[in-house]
């Protein structure tokens, strides 16, 4: 069957919970946005989800995990363009998993092997959230979490601090 879409439409493939496969190629040919997503309650990587969806090549998987995903949510991210908020991440090219990878092969290798330990910096909405592999407010976050734990255990604030 053919389908002519008068407006941009998106289909979100959720390979971890789907019982069958969506006709991704036909949807893409019809002009639909095909995004990778999940309805799992556990945290998951959009790249891992895109890989599991079986788009066939790294470029289509990256697009499903980034630009199509952002557009399906009405978000302005998904691409580095003038006038858009900068949403991107950097990886450590000195990570042992990436050692010797040719630049043209990097997207496919990252798609299949990206691990959070490789991520160096993350920018969301033009604000840096991760620097050198650590959340920029990690010290404050951990301190507040420890204080909350102490409060829940009934430890007086003066005792907890000193």
């Amino acid at each position: 069957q053919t389908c002519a879409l008068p407006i941009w439409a998106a289909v979100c493939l959720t390979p971890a919970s789907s019982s069958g496969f969506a006709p991704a190629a036909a949807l893409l040919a019809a002009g639909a946005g095909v995004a990778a997503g999940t309805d799992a309650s556990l945290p998951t990587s959009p790249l891992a989800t895109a890989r599991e969806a079986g788009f066939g090549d790294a470029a289509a998987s990256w697009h499903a995990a980034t630009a199509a995903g952002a557009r399906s949510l009405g978000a302005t991210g998904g691409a580095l363009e003038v006038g858009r908020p900068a949403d991107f991440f950097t990886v450590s090219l000195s990570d042992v998993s990436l050692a010797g990878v040719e630049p043209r092969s990097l997207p496919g290798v990252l798609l299949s092997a990206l691990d959070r330990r490789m991520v160096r910096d993350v920018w969301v909405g033009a604000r840096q959230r991760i620097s050198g592999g650590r959340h920029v407010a990690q010290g404050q976050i951990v301190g507040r979490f420890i204080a909350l734990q102490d409060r829940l255990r009934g430890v007086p604030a003066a005792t907890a601090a000193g």
Side-chain angles (χ1 to χ4, degrees):
Q1 293 183 2
T2 59
C3 173
L5 300 172
I7 59 171
W8 194 84
V11 175
C12 184
L13 300 182
T14 57
S17 61
S18 296
S19 59
F21 293 97
L27 290 166
L28 288 167
V34 181
T38 182
D39 58 0
S41 59
L42 299 173
T44 185
S45 160
L47 293 177
T49 302
R51 181 177 62 240
E52 292 169 15
F55 285 97
D57 68 22
S61 296
W62 274 97
H63 184 76
T66 58
R71 188 168 180 195
S72 73
L73 297 171
T76 57
L80 285 176
E81 295 176 351
V82 174
R84 285 183 145 185
D87 295 341
F88 66 94
F89 67 95
T90 65
V91 296
S92 172
L93 295 177
S94 62
D95 187 90
V96 69
S97 300
L98 300 176
V101 173
E102 294 181 24
R104 67 173 186 236
S105 301
L106 192 57
V109 171
L110 288 175
L111 185 65
S112 64
L114 184 64
D115 179 274
R116 69 185 206 106
R117 292 171 293 177
M118 293 178 200
V119 176
R120 303 308 307 152
D121 303 293
V122 176
W123 292 75
V124 178
R127 292 180 56 203
Q128 190 168 20
R129 305 298 181 155
I130 306 293
S131 176
R134 292 176 52 120
H135 192 284
V136 294
Q138 184 168 332
Q140 295 170 343
I141 293 167
V142 171
R144 289 174 48 202
F145 182 68
I146 291 170
L148 175 62
Q149 288 177 319
D150 288 343
R151 208 173 71 217
L152 291 172
R153 286 191 291 248
V155 177
T159 305

